[in-house]
DNA sequence: ATCGCGGAGTGACCAAAGTCACTGCGATGC
DNA sequence: GCATCGCAGTGACTTTGGTCACTCCGCGAT
């Protein structure tokens, strides 16, 4: 663990999932769960593997994704510090339905299936919290299905840009500036398409005057226009 | 309720979700949950509506689906007797992410949010069971995403036929006979496309000798060929 | 400096998905 | 019997998605 990094105990204390536990319980859980460090790209668990337990992201980011036979990837979720990952196979004992890998240098706590079950049985509030977390995940998956089933790549790209703009865009006099920290490849995996289409659609949006693309810096010039485009696409 | 139909009490007793409750608890729950009857096509709850509680299908079938602006539908799940529907917004208090409607004449029990929370807190086993149910649902959604993101309509149609054949196909000397109880429209909504493509792809599969289509009766002549087709489609 | 490499841009192409408009069929109701 | 209606099939077409094969650029290592 890095110098000055929080102890497992401190992390558990601030994890929403375990908010209901008291000091003693937290301490006992902290003793039983291991902390692991992953380098960028390293796999935490693979699709189809038997599920062993749940991870809690301490630092860094974890990418949950599916891989197709021909190598394409579809990202299902990106989780940062405090979030739990792979909660669900814990309770139905099956295999992981997708893979999880560290996007950047990442630390994560691992809580075993057995420990979790014990906690849920003893502190039902934890189980309820868990249901809430899983519920949120379900919502996001339904959203992905909706986008994949009903919309075009262009639409998904615009949605992504707007979301990203709201989340970490910098306001400037010309518009909202987004600095891409992901490659087009990665962006494509997130919106469910291939690199080339991301490139082409960005170019097209620029030609239409909605954006200005400068390497990995995208400036949204006309965000109202983009939003309008979304709803007009019937 | 129809003559001879089971009482709420009896239904709850056989619902896996509540297997952990004892007689007294079942009785008290039965008192508090209402049974409703829905005619074919009737809506149980609509997307975006504030969530009120959970439904347990007693008889009939319920279809969970999303609707797009231009009227297309994407089916997320079909649930029959014993299954619960709309479990998840119960625990995060949000809106229903999709709509639910009766496919055919359907009876369902309704359990309120508050009652459920109380039960989960008192009987943690119920919460665990619930997590298991939600987990299974999550798995299915991931499967839908995988199919939508990676495969073609043809592929999805073949998968559907194979699934359906295994689930309710009749063996005959010529192959496996499936009698469609859904329209092409409905089938299209289940595999995420439009009516015309279902029609065309069925015709194409027939022309290739994999199937024989006779109105609403489809005979799978070469199921090995179909399976092979699936994996060859890279 | 230059070699190699990964990311990005693009033209040419092809296949799949979706739209529109129409026909035909078979139930159901009057 | 005939009109109506919903479902199914299909031809013609457009748009979108995806593939392939390159080129170009910037950067870090040698």
């Amino acid at each position: 663990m890095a110098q000055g990094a929080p102890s497992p105990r401190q992390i558990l204390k601030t994890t929403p999932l375990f908010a209901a536990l008291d000091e003693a319980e937290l301490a006992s859980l902290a003793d039983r769960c291991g902390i692991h460090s992953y380098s960028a790209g390293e796999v935490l668990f693979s699709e189809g593997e038997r599920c062993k337990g749940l991870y809690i992201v301490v630092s860094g980011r974890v990418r949950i994704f599916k891989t197709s036979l021909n190598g394409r990837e579809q990202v299902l979720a990106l989780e940062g510090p405090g979030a739990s990952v792979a909660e669900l196979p814990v309770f139905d004992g099956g295999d992981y339905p997708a893979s999880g890998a560290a996007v950047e240098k990442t630390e994560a706590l691992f809580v075993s299936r057995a420990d979790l079950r014990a906690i849920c049985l003893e502190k039902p509030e934890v189980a309820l919290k868990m249901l809430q977390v899983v519920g949120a995940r379900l919502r996001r998956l339904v959203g992905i299905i909706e986008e994949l089933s009903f919309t075009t790549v262009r639409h998904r790209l615009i949605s992504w840009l707007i979301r990203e703009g709201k989340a970490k865009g910098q306001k400037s006099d010309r518009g909202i500036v987004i600095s891409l920290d992901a490659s087009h490849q990665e962006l494509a995996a997130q919106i469910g398409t291939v690199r080339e289409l991301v490139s082409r659609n960005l170019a097209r949006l620029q030609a239409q005057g909605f954006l200005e693309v400068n390497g990995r810096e995208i400036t949204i010039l006309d965000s109202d226009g983009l939003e309008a485009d979304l709803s007009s696409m019937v």
Side-chain angles (χ1 to χ4, degrees), chain A residues 75-194:
Chain A
V75 172
L76 301 176
L78 277 172
E79 303 289 355
S84 55
V85 159
E87 319 81 356
L88 75 110
V90 173
F91 297 94
D92 69 353
D95 301 340
Y96 293 115
S99 309
V103 176
E104 55 212 36
K105 190 159 177 18
T106 294
E107 287 176 317
L109 284 176
F110 178 81
V111 186
S112 81
R113 220 178 111 86
D115 286 347
L116 260 179
R117 290 189 73 92
I119 293 170
C120 284
L121 285 172
E122 204 185 318
K123 283 271 177 178
E125 297 89 349
V126 174
L128 283 187
K129 194 77 194 171
M130 198 97 182
L131 274 163
Q132 190 180 324
V133 168
V134 175
R137 192 173 293 289
L138 220 133
R139 251 168 233 288
R140 254 174 293 149
L141 292 187
V142 170
I144 293 176
I145 292 176
E146 180 174 21
E147 290 208 322
L148 287 176
S149 185
F150 297 148
T151 79
T152 62
V153 169
R154 162 176 247 250
H155 186 119
R156 279 174 257 149
L157 179 57
I158 293 178
S159 304
W160 189 93
L161 288 168
I162 291 175
R163 269 199 305 275
E164 198 70 1
K166 283 184 183 151
K168 25 182 161 156
Q170 304 288 322
K171 275 235 170 69
S172 89
D173 48 343
R174 315 208 42 221
I176 300 159
V177 181
I178 300 171
S179 19
L180 243 49
D181 56 344
S183 68
H184 284 191
Q185 185 70 254
E186 171 58 23
L187 179 40
Q190 285 181 36
I191 66 176
T193 183
V194 295

